Amino acid sequence: MALSEHQIADLRARMIARSRLLEGEIAAKLRDSTEDLDMLGRVGDSADLAWVETESGLDLSQAQRDIEEWRGLRDALRRIELGHYGVCTDCGADVPVERLHSQPLALRCLDCQSLTERVSRMSRAGS
C-alpha cells in the first residue's frame, strides 16, 4: 500500500525538523573542533596536546556522522519530491510505513534490506 499524502507530509516534516537540528549540531561541532585546534599553540605538554587532538578528532567524527545523516535526509526529501519515497530501490515494492517511521532514510523493504545485509556479511567474512 502506497503512502498517503498525510503520511508523506508527516514524514517530510519530521525529516525537515531533524535536518535543521543536525545543521545546528554540525555547526557547533565544527566550531568546537576549530576551537580545540586553536588551543594547539597554547598547550603545555604532550598530555595536553593529546587531549586537544582527541577532542578535536571526536568533534570531527561526530560532525561527519551527522553530515552523513543530513545528506541521507536531503536525499529522502528529494525522493519525496520525485515521488519515489517509500519505494524499495531494489525490488520496487512499497516500504512499510512503520519502517519509514523508525528508519526514515530506508531505501529498501525488509526483505531486500535483509538480503543486502546477508550478502555484505558474507563478503566481509570471505575477505
Side-chain angles (χ1 to χ4, degrees), residues 101-125:
H101 277 289
S102 65
Q103 297 289 327
L105 306 182
L107 296 171
R108 296 176 183 89
C109 66
L110 290 172
D111 290 340
C112 289
Q113 184 63 40
S114 294
L115 177 62
T116 299
E117 290 172 6
R118 278 194 308 272
V119 168
S120 178
R121 278 193 305 269
M122 289 186 326
S123 71
R124 282 194 308 263

Short mmCIF file of all heavy atoms in Angstrom, two decimals, residues 101-125:
data_model
loop_
_atom_site.label_atom_id
_atom_site.label_comp_id
_atom_site.label_asym_id
_atom_site.label_seq_id
_atom_site.Cartn_x
_atom_site.Cartn_y
_atom_site.Cartn_z
N HIS A 101 8.81 5.18 9.58
CA HIS A 101 8.74 5.96 10.82
C HIS A 101 9.97 5.71 11.69
O HIS A 101 10.49 6.65 12.29
CB HIS A 101 7.46 5.63 11.60
CG HIS A 101 6.27 6.39 11.13
ND1 HIS A 101 6.10 7.74 11.34
CD2 HIS A 101 5.18 5.98 10.44
CE1 HIS A 101 4.97 8.14 10.81
NE2 HIS A 101 4.39 7.09 10.25
N SER A 102 10.42 4.46 11.74
CA SER A 102 11.59 4.16 12.57
C SER A 102 12.90 4.43 11.82
O SER A 102 13.90 4.75 12.45
CB SER A 102 11.54 2.72 13.07
OG SER A 102 11.64 1.82 12.00
N GLN A 103 12.89 4.28 10.50
CA GLN A 103 14.09 4.48 9.67
C GLN A 103 13.71 5.35 8.46
O GLN A 103 13.57 4.83 7.36
CB GLN A 103 14.63 3.13 9.18
CG GLN A 103 15.09 2.20 10.26
CD GLN A 103 16.37 2.69 10.90
OE1 GLN A 103 17.21 3.29 10.25
NE2 GLN A 103 16.50 2.45 12.19
N PRO A 104 13.53 6.64 8.65
CA PRO A 104 13.06 7.47 7.53
C PRO A 104 13.98 7.49 6.32
O PRO A 104 13.55 7.83 5.23
CB PRO A 104 12.93 8.87 8.14
CG PRO A 104 13.56 8.82 9.47
CD PRO A 104 13.73 7.40 9.86
N LEU A 105 15.22 7.07 6.49
CA LEU A 105 16.17 7.05 5.37
C LEU A 105 16.16 5.71 4.63
O LEU A 105 16.91 5.53 3.68
CB LEU A 105 17.59 7.33 5.86
CG LEU A 105 17.78 8.60 6.68
CD1 LEU A 105 19.24 8.77 7.05
CD2 LEU A 105 17.25 9.82 5.97
N ALA A 106 15.30 4.78 5.07
CA ALA A 106 15.28 3.44 4.49
C ALA A 106 15.08 3.49 2.98
O ALA A 106 14.17 4.15 2.48
CB ALA A 106 14.17 2.60 5.13
N LEU A 107 15.94 2.78 2.28
CA LEU A 107 15.87 2.69 0.82
C LEU A 107 15.23 1.39 0.35
O LEU A 107 14.84 1.28 -0.81
CB LEU A 107 17.28 2.76 0.22
CG LEU A 107 18.05 4.06 0.43
CD1 LEU A 107 19.49 3.91 -0.02
CD2 LEU A 107 17.36 5.20 -0.30
N ARG A 108 15.16 0.41 1.26
CA ARG A 108 14.73 -0.93 0.86
C ARG A 108 13.62 -1.44 1.76
O ARG A 108 13.54 -1.06 2.93
CB ARG A 108 15.91 -1.91 0.94
CG ARG A 108 17.03 -1.59 -0.01
CD ARG A 108 18.20 -2.55 0.21
NE ARG A 108 19.29 -2.18 -0.66
CZ ARG A 108 20.24 -1.31 -0.32
NH1 ARG A 108 20.24 -0.74 0.85
NH2 ARG A 108 21.20 -1.02 -1.19
N CYS A 109 12.85 -2.38 1.23
CA CYS A 109 11.89 -3.11 2.04
C CYS A 109 12.68 -4.05 2.96
O CYS A 109 13.89 -4.22 2.79
CB CYS A 109 10.91 -3.89 1.16
SG CYS A 109 11.68 -5.23 0.21
N LEU A 110 12.00 -4.65 3.93
CA LEU A 110 12.70 -5.51 4.89
C LEU A 110 13.38 -6.69 4.23
O LEU A 110 14.52 -7.04 4.58
CB LEU A 110 11.72 -5.99 5.96
CG LEU A 110 11.24 -4.90 6.93
CD1 LEU A 110 10.14 -5.45 7.82
CD2 LEU A 110 12.39 -4.38 7.76
N ASP A 111 12.72 -7.33 3.28
CA ASP A 111 13.31 -8.49 2.61
C ASP A 111 14.59 -8.11 1.87
O ASP A 111 15.62 -8.80 2.00
CB ASP A 111 12.32 -9.13 1.63
CG ASP A 111 11.17 -9.83 2.34
OD1 ASP A 111 11.31 -10.15 3.55
OD2 ASP A 111 10.12 -10.03 1.70
N CYS A 112 14.55 -7.05 1.09
CA CYS A 112 15.74 -6.62 0.33
C CYS A 112 16.84 -6.13 1.26
O CYS A 112 18.03 -6.39 1.01
CB CYS A 112 15.36 -5.56 -0.70
SG CYS A 112 14.39 -6.22 -2.08
N GLN A 113 16.48 -5.45 2.35
CA GLN A 113 17.49 -4.99 3.30
C GLN A 113 18.16 -6.17 3.97
O GLN A 113 19.38 -6.21 4.13
CB GLN A 113 16.88 -4.07 4.36
CG GLN A 113 17.91 -3.47 5.31
CD GLN A 113 18.92 -2.59 4.62
OE1 GLN A 113 18.57 -1.82 3.72
NE2 GLN A 113 20.17 -2.68 5.02
N SER A 114 17.37 -7.17 4.35
CA SER A 114 17.94 -8.39 4.96
C SER A 114 18.90 -9.07 4.00
O SER A 114 19.99 -9.51 4.39
CB SER A 114 16.83 -9.35 5.37
OG SER A 114 16.06 -8.79 6.39
N LEU A 115 18.51 -9.19 2.74
CA LEU A 115 19.36 -9.81 1.74
C LEU A 115 20.66 -9.01 1.57
O LEU A 115 21.75 -9.58 1.53
CB LEU A 115 18.63 -9.92 0.40
CG LEU A 115 19.44 -10.50 -0.76
CD1 LEU A 115 19.87 -11.92 -0.45
CD2 LEU A 115 18.62 -10.45 -2.04
N THR A 116 20.55 -7.70 1.49
CA THR A 116 21.73 -6.84 1.35
C THR A 116 22.68 -7.03 2.53
O THR A 116 23.90 -7.13 2.34
CB THR A 116 21.30 -5.36 1.24
OG1 THR A 116 20.50 -5.21 0.07
CG2 THR A 116 22.49 -4.43 1.17
N GLU A 117 22.13 -7.10 3.73
CA GLU A 117 22.97 -7.28 4.92
C GLU A 117 23.63 -8.66 4.94
O GLU A 117 24.79 -8.78 5.31
CB GLU A 117 22.15 -7.04 6.18
CG GLU A 117 21.77 -5.59 6.36
CD GLU A 117 20.81 -5.34 7.50
OE1 GLU A 117 20.49 -6.29 8.26
OE2 GLU A 117 20.36 -4.19 7.64
N ARG A 118 22.90 -9.71 4.53
CA ARG A 118 23.48 -11.05 4.48
C ARG A 118 24.63 -11.10 3.48
O ARG A 118 25.70 -11.65 3.77
CB ARG A 118 22.42 -12.10 4.11
CG ARG A 118 21.58 -12.55 5.28
CD ARG A 118 20.79 -13.80 4.97
NE ARG A 118 20.00 -13.75 3.76
CZ ARG A 118 18.75 -13.30 3.68
NH1 ARG A 118 18.14 -12.85 4.75
NH2 ARG A 118 18.11 -13.30 2.53
N VAL A 119 24.42 -10.53 2.29
CA VAL A 119 25.47 -10.52 1.27
C VAL A 119 26.68 -9.75 1.78
O VAL A 119 27.83 -10.18 1.58
CB VAL A 119 24.93 -9.92 -0.06
CG1 VAL A 119 26.05 -9.63 -1.02
CG2 VAL A 119 23.89 -10.85 -0.67
N SER A 120 26.45 -8.63 2.45
CA SER A 120 27.54 -7.83 2.98
C SER A 120 28.33 -8.60 4.04
O SER A 120 29.56 -8.59 4.04
CB SER A 120 26.99 -6.53 3.59
OG SER A 120 28.02 -5.78 4.15
N ARG A 121 27.62 -9.31 4.93
CA ARG A 121 28.30 -10.11 5.95
C ARG A 121 29.12 -11.22 5.32
O ARG A 121 30.25 -11.50 5.74
CB ARG A 121 27.29 -10.70 6.93
CG ARG A 121 26.86 -9.76 8.02
CD ARG A 121 26.10 -10.48 9.12
NE ARG A 121 24.96 -11.23 8.65
CZ ARG A 121 23.72 -10.78 8.56
NH1 ARG A 121 23.45 -9.53 8.88
NH2 ARG A 121 22.74 -11.55 8.12
N MET A 122 28.56 -11.88 4.30
CA MET A 122 29.27 -12.97 3.63
C MET A 122 30.52 -12.45 2.94
O MET A 122 31.57 -13.10 2.96
CB MET A 122 28.35 -13.69 2.65
CG MET A 122 27.29 -14.52 3.35
SD MET A 122 26.25 -15.58 2.30
CE MET A 122 26.05 -14.69 0.79
N SER A 123 30.42 -11.29 2.31
CA SER A 123 31.60 -10.75 1.61
C SER A 123 32.68 -10.33 2.60
O SER A 123 33.86 -10.47 2.32
CB SER A 123 31.21 -9.61 0.69
OG SER A 123 30.85 -8.46 1.41
N ARG A 124 32.28 -9.81 3.77
CA ARG A 124 33.27 -9.45 4.79
C ARG A 124 33.91 -10.70 5.38
O ARG A 124 35.11 -10.69 5.67
CB ARG A 124 32.62 -8.62 5.90
CG ARG A 124 32.40 -7.18 5.54
CD ARG A 124 32.09 -6.34 6.77
NE ARG A 124 31.00 -6.88 7.58
CZ ARG A 124 29.74 -6.50 7.53
NH1 ARG A 124 29.37 -5.54 6.69
NH2 ARG A 124 28.84 -7.04 8.31
N ALA A 125 33.12 -11.74 5.56
CA ALA A 125 33.65 -12.99 6.11
C ALA A 125 34.63 -13.65 5.14
O ALA A 125 35.59 -14.29 5.56
CB ALA A 125 32.52 -13.95 6.45
#
